[in-house]
């Protein structure tokens, strides 16, 4: 690719992604206006038009905030590139520090800073206006700030060593860094999965063992039946921040644990909670997590290999205004101009810029397989519990309590839903013939 080709791809892809996402959100908005108060026949007796109108109003509020946030983010991304912000930051940092490592650390921090700052007022309005007015947010300002600082600290602790390692590999192993970094990705993913339940999650929430009662007995019997070995069943104090509810299992090896939001226990019966947990265990028993990791590894290797080729191309840098030093090297018997390794970390960053706008297309594929897995986990829950009705009523309650959309447009779900819409799950469970 020559001239401004990479910049052109970035601008066109960013514009297409922006217009696609805006169109999808508008389609969803129009569907709510048409069907927001209509009760589907499968939900007669469970929901009423008043609840559906409240759900539509909640989603409309989020949509009205989404428009300026999305537009501002799109404009900012173009401004940062077209104004030469990244070039200026790199030049000044390298001039001041004279170190590739220090420049890389500070560059990635300053490169992400504008978008991080832009997100703050929108996140504040979402949390303290919309979520609070609809009865979800219990956050205090101090808690919100502290959570943000903790999240930033965790990101820095994880990102800084990774950036330094990547720069070292780029400098001293320019021909093999991509495969070594792929190995680091796998080890880091496994390490984080092991450490998250015991080191990271407790920074934000309190986890207490589920108290002995009928529910604990039922859930422990379910774990034994499915062969799920874990540290135990824990209740998370989610209600301290929000009334939204969920359940999940986390960790690997000896650190696996089942986590139930305290809000979930308040909203569901024992049968319903058992069915929800059985669904989560279905992901474990059906190897969904392992399969996703197995798919992610070769994709990561292929992506990093492609990046390793791109970072050598002078046109990648000159497209965005950088002026890299080059040398003549032999490539397949041909003499070609290649960028010197000391600036390859900038090339990795620029590859990320070019690829990021294609996220909706990647989500299209990932969500397809995720929705398929959710159907299978629903079927597993019905089979292991010997009934499907309690999962149906649990899903309905969770959608009601969270004011989740019941009838989103199909095209919107295809791009944005990692879980099937409620009615599709109800219909699929109904076909299983379980009581």
């Amino acid at each position: 690719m020559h001239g401004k080709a990479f910049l052109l791809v970035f601008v066109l892809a960013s514009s297409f992604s922006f217009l696609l996402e805006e169109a999808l959100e508008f389609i969803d908005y129009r569907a709510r206006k048409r069907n927001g108060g209509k009760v589907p026949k499968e939900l007669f007796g469970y929901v009423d038009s008043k609840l559906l109108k409240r759900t539509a109003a909640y989603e409309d509020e989020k949509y009205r905030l989404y428009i300026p946030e999305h537009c501002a983010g799109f404009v900012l991304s173009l401004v940062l590139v077209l104004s030469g912000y990244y070039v200026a930051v790199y030049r000044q940092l390298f001039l001041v520090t004279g170190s590739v490592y220090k420049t890389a650390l500070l560059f990635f921090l300053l490169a992400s800073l504008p978008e991080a700052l832009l997100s703050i007022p929108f996140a504040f309005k979402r949390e303290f206006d919309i979520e609070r007015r609809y009865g979800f947010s219990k956050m205090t300002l101090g808690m919100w700030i502290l959570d943000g600082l903790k999240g930033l600290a965790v990101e820095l602790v994880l990102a800084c060593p990774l950036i330094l390692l990547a720069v070292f590999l780029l400098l001293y192993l320019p021909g093999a860094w991509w495969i070594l970094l792929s190995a680091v990705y796998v080890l880091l993913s496994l390490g984080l999965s092991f450490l998250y339940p015991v080191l990271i999650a407790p920074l934000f929430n309190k986890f207490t063992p589920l108290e002995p009662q009928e529910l604990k007995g039922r859930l422990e019997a379910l774990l034994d039946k499915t062969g799920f070995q874990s540290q135990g069943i824990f209740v998370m104090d989610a209600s301290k921040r929000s009334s939204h509810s969920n359940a999940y299992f986390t960790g690997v090896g000896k650190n696996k644990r089942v986590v139930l939001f305290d809000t979930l226990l308040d909203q569901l019966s024992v049968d319903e909670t058992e069915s929800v947990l059985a669904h989560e265990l279905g992901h474990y028993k059906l190897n969904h997590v392992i399969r996703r990791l197995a798919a992610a590894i070769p994709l990561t290797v292929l992506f990093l290999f492609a990046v390793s080729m791109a970072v050598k191309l002078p046109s990648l840098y000159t497209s965005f205004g950088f002026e890299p030093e080059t040398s003549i090297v032999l490539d397949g018997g041909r003499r070609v101009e290649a960028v010197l390794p000391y600036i390859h970390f900038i090339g990795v960053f620029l590859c990320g810029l070019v690829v990021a706008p294609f996220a909706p297309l990647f989500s299209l594929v990932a969500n397809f397989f995720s929705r398929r897995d959710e159907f299978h986990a629903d079927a597993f829950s019905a089979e292991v519990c010997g009934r499907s009705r309690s999962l149906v009523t649990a899903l309905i309650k969770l959608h009601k309590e969270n004011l989740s959309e019941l009838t989103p447009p199909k095209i919107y779900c295809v791009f944005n839903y990692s879980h099937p819409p409620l009615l599709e799950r109800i219909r699929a469970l109904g076909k299983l013939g379980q009581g």
Side-chain angles (χ1 to χ4, degrees), residues 1-16:
M1 300 179 77
H2 301 284
K4 297 290 185 180
F6 283 100
L7 178 62
L8 184 62
V9 170
F10 166 76
V11 172
L12 292 178
S14 296
S15 300
F16 173 78

Side-chain angles (χ1 to χ4, degrees), residues 190-296:
L190 294 174
L192 286 177
S193 296
F194 184 81
L195 295 175
Y196 178 81
V198 293
L199 287 184
I200 300 177
L203 294 174
F204 300 90
N205 290 97
K206 183 179 179 182
F207 297 83
T208 56
L210 182 63
E211 295 181 1
Q213 53 186 326
E214 179 191 359
L215 176 61
K216 183 175 183 179
R218 291 271 293 274
L219 298 186
E220 287 180 340
L222 179 63
L223 295 179
D224 291 339
K225 186 176 181 179
T226 56
F228 185 84
Q229 301 295 321
S230 73
Q231 277 190 334
I233 305 169
F234 293 81
V235 179
M236 188 181 92
D237 61 341
S239 59
K240 183 170 68 174
R241 290 173 171 80
S242 172
S243 61
H244 288 300
S245 53
N246 199 1
Y248 64 93
F249 72 85
T250 184
V252 294
K254 295 180 181 180
N255 278 358
K256 291 201 301 288
R257 58 171 58 181
V258 176
V259 177
L260 307 173
F261 285 25
D262 56 358
T263 49
L264 183 85
L265 300 182
D266 292 336
Q267 294 167 4
L268 302 186
S269 69
V270 172
D271 282 353
E272 290 166 342
T273 304
E274 181 185 37
S275 291
V276 168
L277 180 57
H279 167 94
E280 297 300 328
L281 292 173
H283 290 303
Y284 160 74
K285 289 295 290 184
L286 299 173
N287 297 316
H288 292 162
V289 177
I290 294 175
R291 288 207 328 253
R292 290 175 190 175
L293 182 61

Side-chain angles (χ1 to χ4, degrees), residues 174-175 308-318 323-332 334-344:
S308 74
M309 297 292 102
V311 296
K312 300 174 185 177
L313 301 175
S315 59
L316 172 64
Y317 303 84
T318 56
E323 299 174 353
E325 293 184 82
T326 62
S327 64
I328 302 300
V329 299
L330 289 175
D331 183 14
R334 296 183 302 113
R335 293 168 63 83
V336 297
E337 186 182 20
V339 174
L340 295 182
Y342 78 91
I343 198 176
H344 281 184

